[in-house]
Amino acid sequence: MAPEERIPTVLRHAFTILTAVGEAGPSGADAVELHIQTGLNIRTVYRHLASLRTLGMIAGAGDGTRYRLGPAIAGLAQNASDQREFLRKARLFAEELGERTQEPVHVTVYDQGTAVTVASATREAIIRQKSPPIVVGSRRPAHASASGKIFLAANPSALQAYAVRPLQRFTQYTITDLHALEAECLAVRAQGWSEDRQEFMLGVTCIAVPVYGMKGRAVGALVVSTKYPRLTTAQRNGLLQALQPAAQEFTAAIGGSAP
């Protein structure tokens, strides 16, 4: 069975009509025009037009018998644009911070209990010293990663949902007690940064700071990964002096604001 044949008919028809409305442009199209263009039964067209209008995906145009794309579609388009801009800025800030710190830098987002790398700047010299390299698409459990703890600390509901699963141990330093994780998240929220102290991989310590989107929501994390088993206070402070201003600039660049 072809992939398109597995799509429910009602969804396929709605998408066909929505596409035709979009192609009609600002002047919109009426039901008869959509019937002719799509080849769908006129009653099917009217039924889907009513549903799409209720959902805000189309709106009336002209004399009210015509339809054009609605505010819900505009919102989705804006979100898609924002996401593309986030990824573009993520690559730029990762590269710049990598040059400044001379350490592997990556940007993560939160997805289903994991911190996912969406941009990475890892110097070749460091890749040779450190295995495995940080690659785009790699995932680390939230409780065992610096950026994961950033997201859990910033979103109590995410922490509550995460707490229903067992906290898997990866090294002897992994936090596996829920109360200890909650206390760690409280500390992260208060200090504004997080540290992975060999909790996911022995010999690797990471520092992460949040990147905020609109309404002060943590939408990403800027992370420096080091090859040091432990960071001295001076090393940690030095990295934070580079990370925190970069995260603030990143936040401003995507139109976000700190809570």
Side-chain angles (χ1 to χ4, degrees), residues 23-134:
E23 291 173 347
S27 62
D30 63 24
V32 173
E33 291 169 343
L34 294 170
H35 157 64
I36 294 171
Q37 183 175 346
T38 64
L40 296 174
N41 181 281
I42 189 67
R43 292 184 179 179
T44 299
V45 171
Y46 275 117
R47 186 170 64 251
H48 283 295
L49 286 173
S51 298
L52 292 169
R53 188 165 189 172
T54 299
L55 293 170
M57 304 190 83
I58 61 173
D63 60 4
T65 64
R66 305 181 71 79
Y67 301 89
R68 61 182 171 217
L69 295 179
I73 293 296
L76 290 173
Q78 183 61 52
N79 287 339
S81 177
D82 290 346
Q83 289 174 14
R84 287 194 298 271
E85 183 65 7
F86 176 88
L87 293 175
R88 189 177 73 84
K89 295 293 187 185
R91 288 188 288 268
L92 291 175
F93 278 94
E95 292 288 349
E96 181 180 338
L97 192 59
E99 288 295 322
R100 290 174 59 188
T101 63
Q102 299 296 291
E103 296 283 1
V105 174
H106 62 289
V107 178
T108 66
V109 298
Y110 186 74
D111 179 56
Q112 300 181 20
T114 62
V116 186
T117 297
V118 295
S120 178
T122 308
R123 296 173 60 243
E124 291 184 4
I126 295 174
I127 289 180
R128 288 194 292 270
Q129 300 173 32
K130 188 176 173 61
S131 180
I134 301 167

Side-chain angles (χ1 to χ4, degrees), residues 156-173:
S157 62
L159 176 59
Q160 185 177 12
Y162 193 84
V164 302
R165 70 188 72 193
L167 303 181
Q168 183 180 352
R169 181 180 297 279
F170 297 93
T171 75
Q172 65 264 43
Y173 303 104

Side-chain angles (χ1 to χ4, degrees), residues 5 78 81 96-97 125 137 140-141 157 175 190 214 223 236 243:
E5 294 177 352
Q78 183 61 52
S81 177
E96 181 180 338
L97 192 59
R140 287 157 296 284
S157 62
I175 297 174
M214 297 178 63
V223 193
R236 182 183 300 108
L243 269 168

